[in-house]
Amino acid sequence: MSKNVFVFAEQRDGEIQKVSFELIGKARELANTLGEKVVAILLGHKVEGQAERLVAYGADEVILVDDKMLAEYVTEPYAKAIAAVIHEFDPEIVLYGATAIGRDLAPRVSARIHTGLTADCTGLAIDPETKNLLMTRPAFGGNIMATIVCPDFRPQMATVRPGVMQSCPMDTKVKGKVTKFTVPFAAEDMNVKIRKVVKAAKKATDITECKILISGGRGIGKADKFEMLKDLADVLGGEISSSRANVDAGWIGKERQVGQTGKTVRPNLYLACGISGAIQHLAGMEGSDLIIAINKNNTAPIFDVADVGIVGDVNVVVPKLTEAIKKY
Ligand code: FAD
């Protein structure tokens, strides 16, 4: 019988990606509801040392497949390894991050093992009656949230957006089990030849990692007003981000867009400056710890999710805030 909630623990250069800890946090909640275990699948070469981090973040067990074939991410060997783990351990649920790797891998696994896959989920819960996994994701261009179930096949599989789920606090005292599993790879499983790995020269700012975001909407009026937001971000030790309106206008890069078609962020402070609060924007930031909104229209929907609302002109309020904080 299918059992336990599995998480694909994505690692790059031997380092577990943050989304994997977030997924373990969610898996913990789902597994507790089902009375089952959280199991992380760790693939790679010489990555055994990472298993204890997965346990510290809430995995009861880590299934480790260590093989030279898995040294770099390549779709076919990775899909073969996950499918083999699923055949052997028969999980109830398997979760992947909706990252470049997760989005490539999960559909291949789903096709190999003949089960369904719900992509890009923003919510997961267990149906109290049927015990099926309820997988929620935006549909029809984000105009509705659809809840999808996979009642007839196992495992139930989903990719989940980074930044949406919350990881458990790290506890290095807990002990977990590491199970080594061997996959019988053949030479033909490696259908690409990696000639050279070129590392990115400089890591661009990742707004999903920032604790403080000063976010600009169309209400800032023009591109160079981002300088005003940057001044405030600098005094607070934060970064700037944006609504889609300004990205579409070419005022700022797409990598700083928050929302349904941008990134999901969960900073300690999200300061929305001249952002109306469209549903597609809220989808990417409403999990922030503290939301402060500045908008000259006191009926703007952003105020419905804001903890603190300032009704006023951003061009007046933001420089005053920056000066006040500098003096503080
Ligand atoms: P507006 O909606 O134009 O709001 C500007 C706000 O600024 C207004 O509330 C106004 O009162 C206020 N304002 C004006 N002047 C001032 C001033 N001087 N001082 C203070 N306040 C002022 N949007 C996203 O952000 N992220 C997404 O990922 C995203 N994905 C989408 C996906 C789809 C499929 C679709 C259809 C839309 C998506 N959108 C997304 C677009 C979204 O619907 C909104 O159009 C967009 O968020 C609006 O951006 P905005 O709030 O900056 O601009």
Side-chain angles (χ1 to χ4, degrees), residues 141 217-219 243-245 257-262 274-276 278 280-281 295-297 300 312-315:
R218 203 185 329 246
S243 72
R244 176 164 155 180
Q257 182 187 322
V258 172
Q260 185 195 313
T261 43
I275 294 178
S276 59
Q280 296 90 354
H281 186 80
N295 196 301
K296 66 179 185 185
N297 174 6
D313 185 337
V314 281
N315 298 303

Side-chain angles (χ1 to χ4, degrees), residues 28 31 36-40 54-55 58-62 175-177:
R28 183 77 275 153
E36 296 180 358
K37 284 194 304 184
V38 176
V39 181
L54 296 167
V55 171
D60 299 300
E61 182 175 351
V62 177
K175 295 271 169 267
K177 182 174 158 200

Side-chain angles (χ1 to χ4, degrees), residues 224-284:
D224 58 17
K225 289 286 178 181
F226 271 111
E227 288 302 318
M228 171 182 84
L229 303 188
K230 181 84 176 73
D231 288 344
L232 178 55
D234 286 346
V235 295
L236 288 169
E239 272 295 339
I240 53 168
S241 57
S242 176
S243 72
R244 176 164 155 180
N246 296 347
V247 173
D248 288 350
W251 295 357
I252 191 165
K254 168 91 179 149
E255 73 286 355
R256 293 195 187 244
Q257 182 187 322
V258 172
Q260 185 195 313
T261 43
K263 292 185 176 161
T264 303
V265 297
R266 196 187 271 275
N268 299 141
L269 168 64
Y270 189 84
L271 180 57
C273 306
I275 294 178
S276 59
I279 185 167
Q280 296 90 354
H281 186 80
L282 301 185

Side-chain angles (χ1 to χ4, degrees), residues 35-311:
E36 296 180 358
K37 284 194 304 184
V38 176
V39 181
I41 310 173
L42 178 59
L43 310 184
H45 187 42
K46 299 186 178 153
V47 289
E48 189 172 356
Q50 294 297 320
E52 63 189 37
R53 292 194 74 207
L54 296 167
V55 171
Y57 275 96
D60 299 300
E61 182 175 351
V62 177
I63 294 173
L64 171 71
V65 186
D66 193 300
D67 197 293
K68 265 195 236 155
M69 290 282 252
L70 303 170
E72 301 288 344
Y73 175 75
V74 176
T75 312
E76 286 304 317
Y78 266 67
K80 179 170 177 166
I82 300 269
V85 169
I86 290 173
H87 278 308
E88 179 70 20
F89 297 93
D90 195 12
E92 174 74 14
I93 293 169
V94 184
L95 305 177
Y96 310 75
T99 58
I101 287 180
R103 285 178 171 160
D104 180 63
L105 179 63
R108 300 295 186 111
V109 175
S110 142
R112 272 179 182 254
I113 63 169
H114 303 288
T115 190
L117 171 70
T118 306
D120 226 9
C121 293
T122 53
L124 297 172
I126 301 293
D127 184 326
E129 279 174 26
T130 62
K131 304 290 178 213
N132 283 325
L133 181 64
L134 303 174
M135 297 172 276
T136 303
R137 53 154 295 155
F140 294 107
N143 291 309
I144 59 161
M145 296 303 281
T147 295
I148 295 164
V149 283
C150 176
D152 300 325
F153 297 96
R154 290 293 181 269
Q156 304 160 92
M157 301 213 304
T159 62
V160 180
R161 283 193 131 205
V164 179
M165 306 302 175
Q166 248 174 330
S167 43
C168 304
M170 188 168 94
D171 183 352
T172 48
K173 286 194 246 39
V174 285
K175 295 271 169 267
K177 182 174 158 200
V178 178
T179 304
K180 292 186 182 169
F181 182 70
T182 306
V183 177
F185 285 114
E188 54 271 24
D189 290 325
M190 185 59 85
N191 57 354
V192 297
K193 192 176 247 173
I194 298 174
R195 297 204 172 271
K196 196 172 166 192
V197 177
V198 182
K199 308 261 183 236
K202 180 177 168 286
K203 207 177 168 211
T205 302
D206 179 358
I207 58 168
T208 66
E209 304 276 344
C210 296
K211 302 263 180 260
I212 295 177
L213 284 176
I214 312 299
S215 206
R218 203 185 329 246
I220 63 171
K222 51 184 179 173
D224 58 17
K225 289 286 178 181
F226 271 111
E227 288 302 318
M228 171 182 84
L229 303 188
K230 181 84 176 73
D231 288 344
L232 178 55
D234 286 346
V235 295
L236 288 169
E239 272 295 339
I240 53 168
S241 57
S242 176
S243 72
R244 176 164 155 180
N246 296 347
V247 173
D248 288 350
W251 295 357
I252 191 165
K254 168 91 179 149
E255 73 286 355
R256 293 195 187 244
Q257 182 187 322
V258 172
Q260 185 195 313
T261 43
K263 292 185 176 161
T264 303
V265 297
R266 196 187 271 275
N268 299 141
L269 168 64
Y270 189 84
L271 180 57
C273 306
I275 294 178
S276 59
I279 185 167
Q280 296 90 354
H281 186 80
L282 301 185
M285 47 62 76
E286 59 190 341
S288 306
D289 291 343
L290 177 70
I291 299 171
I292 303 179
I294 307 170
N295 196 301
K296 66 179 185 185
N297 174 6
N298 66 358
T299 64
I302 191 76
F303 288 131
D304 297 339
V305 299
D307 300 289
V308 178
I310 302 170
V311 180

